[in-house]
Amino acid sequence: MKAFAFVFLAGIAALTGMPAAADPLLEVTEFADLTAGKDPIILDIRGDAYAKGHIEGAVSAPYALFRGPDENPGQLVPVDQLETTYEGLGLVMDRPIIIVSEGDSDNDFGAAARVYWTLKSSGFTDLAVLNGGMTAWGQAGLPLDRNAVEPQPSDLDITWDNRWTADTQEVADVVDGKRQAVLVDARPPEFYEGKQAHEVAARPGTIPGAQNLAHSSFFQSGSTSIGQVEDVAGLKSALGIDDGEEVVSFCNTGHWAATDWFAMSELAGIENVKLYPGSMVEYSQTDNEMANVPGLLENLLNQFR
C-alpha cells in the first residue's frame, strides 16, 4: 500500500463557452455569460443556508436527499426514492443542471461531487459543479436572492447506470484476487493508517492493497476551488493505473471519495473510475479482510491522541 501527497494541478482553466457534458466545472466569474439563454436548473445543496441567500432561481436540494441512513451515510438511496426526489425538484433530462455547495473548504466539495455522481448515474448528462460554490459567489460580490423557489414537479423514469458504481462484494473480490482493480483511499492519512476511524465504522483501517490519495491533493493550498488535473499521465503512473483498468475510489462514506472520483473521471478523463458509495463504514461492518488495523492497545491510545 502506498500513500501519495502529490498535487496534479494546473490551476483553474478559463472557460470560453457554455460547458457541455464533458465540462464539469463552471467558474463563478463566467456564470452569467455561460448560462445566458440556457435555462439551467440550479440545485443549491446547502440545506438551511439556502434561506439566508442563494443564487436567483436556485432550488433548495439539501445534500441529505442524496445520502443514506445514519448507520451507513454513504449507502445508495433507492432508485424509486431518488426518482421521487428528482420529480419534486423539477428535474428534467433536457435542461443543464448546476450543483452549488457552500464551497468553504475542500471537504465541502465532496458534497457537490457526490450529487454530481448520483445524477450522472441516474442518466442526467448535462451537469456542472459551480467551482468554489457560494463562497466564491460571495467573494465575487455577486447578488443573493432570498425568495424561495417552488419547482414545477416533473415526471421521470430513472434507471441506475452501474458504470460508475462499485459495491462491497466487488471490492471484496478485488481483495480476494477474483477481480482486478486499483483501489484508491481518498481519506486523510490518519484514516488510511488506522489512527482514526469514522464514528459509525466498525473498525479502523483500510482495504488491503489500497493506495492513499487524499481528496485534498486536488486543491491548491488554501483554495476551496478544485483545480484542473494537468499531469494525467503522472497521476496514472503514481497510482499504477493502466489504460482501461478499473479504479475504485472510496473513503468513509463516499463523500471524500466523490472528490477523487470527480477529479480522476471527470477532470482527468481516466476511464473506468468507480465510486464505492458505502466505503469503509459499510466495508468495516462486514467480516472482509482489512489492512492497517491497529491492535487493541494501539486502538485505545489512538482514541486519546
Side-chain angles (χ1 to χ4, degrees), residues 144-160:
L144 296 177
D145 186 14
R146 289 183 172 80
N147 295 314
V149 173
E150 194 67 38
Q152 179 68 36
S154 59
D155 186 14
L156 296 170
D157 184 11
I158 298 300
T159 300
W160 188 263

Side-chain angles (χ1 to χ4, degrees), residues 56-110:
E56 184 179 4
V59 174
S60 181
Y63 184 38
L65 294 174
F66 303 86
R67 301 288 278 166
D70 290 344
E71 64 272 16
N72 187 1
Q75 180 178 299
L76 282 177
V77 177
V79 173
D80 59 344
Q81 184 177 329
L82 281 176
E83 184 176 289
T84 298
T85 294
Y86 298 156
E87 291 174 339
L89 294 173
L91 302 190
V92 291
M93 292 293 181
D94 59 355
R95 288 176 64 188
I97 298 175
I98 299 171
I99 301 155
V100 181
S101 64
E102 189 63 52
D104 58 351
S105 67
D106 56 30
N107 176 64
D108 178 77
F109 187 87

Side-chain angles (χ1 to χ4, degrees), residues 37 43 63 108 134 142-143 176 187 190 214 217 224 237 240 246 254 258 270 290:
L43 294 184
Y63 184 38
D108 178 77
M134 290 306 297
L142 294 169
D176 292 340
R187 299 175 299 169
E190 56 268 26
S217 299
T224 62
S237 177
E246 183 176 306
I270 298 174
M290 287 181 55

Side-chain angles (χ1 to χ4, degrees), residues 74-264:
Q75 180 178 299
L76 282 177
V77 177
V79 173
D80 59 344
Q81 184 177 329
L82 281 176
E83 184 176 289
T84 298
T85 294
Y86 298 156
E87 291 174 339
L89 294 173
L91 302 190
V92 291
M93 292 293 181
D94 59 355
R95 288 176 64 188
I97 298 175
I98 299 171
I99 301 155
V100 181
S101 64
E102 189 63 52
D104 58 351
S105 67
D106 56 30
N107 176 64
D108 178 77
F109 187 87
R114 176 69 186 246
V115 173
Y116 178 107
W117 171 84
T118 305
L119 291 171
K120 180 171 182 173
S121 298
S122 300
F124 296 92
T125 58
D126 201 344
L127 301 168
V129 171
L130 184 65
N131 205 10
M134 290 306 297
T135 296
W137 187 269
Q139 290 171 345
L142 294 169
L144 296 177
D145 186 14
R146 289 183 172 80
N147 295 314
V149 173
E150 194 67 38
Q152 179 68 36
S154 59
D155 186 14
L156 296 170
D157 184 11
I158 298 300
T159 300
W160 188 263
D161 189 336
N162 278 312
R163 278 182 290 174
W164 305 286
T165 305
D167 62 27
T168 297
Q169 185 57 59
E170 290 170 337
V171 172
D173 285 345
V174 174
V175 174
D176 292 340
K178 300 175 183 177
R179 186 185 185 99
Q180 179 63 39
V182 175
L183 301 174
V184 179
D185 188 334
R187 299 175 299 169
E190 56 268 26
F191 286 92
Y192 172 76
E193 295 166 359
K195 297 175 181 177
Q196 192 171 340
H198 190 278
E199 59 185 5
V200 294
R203 296 173 284 168
T206 191
I207 298 171
Q211 302 173 75
N212 187 208
L213 180 62
H215 66 100
S216 57
S217 299
F218 294 100
F219 295 79
Q220 297 283 7
S221 178
S223 175
T224 62
S225 296
I226 197 168
Q228 296 285 353
V229 180
E230 180 182 46
D231 187 4
V232 177
L235 174 59
K236 292 174 68 175
S237 177
L239 294 171
I241 301 171
D242 294 327
D243 288 344
E245 186 173 17
E246 183 176 306
V247 181
V248 177
S249 175
F250 69 93
C251 58
N252 287 319
T253 66
H255 176 94
W256 289 327
T259 295
D260 274 21
W261 174 85
F262 185 91
M264 290 188 286

Side-chain angles (χ1 to χ4, degrees), residues 7-42:
V7 178
F8 301 92
L9 306 178
I12 307 303
L15 300 177
T16 57
M18 178 63 192
D23 298 314
L25 282 178
L26 176 62
E27 301 305 318
V28 165
T29 54
E30 303 288 343
F31 185 91
D33 290 339
L34 301 184
T35 59
K38 301 297 181 180
D39 193 24
I41 298 171
I42 304 170

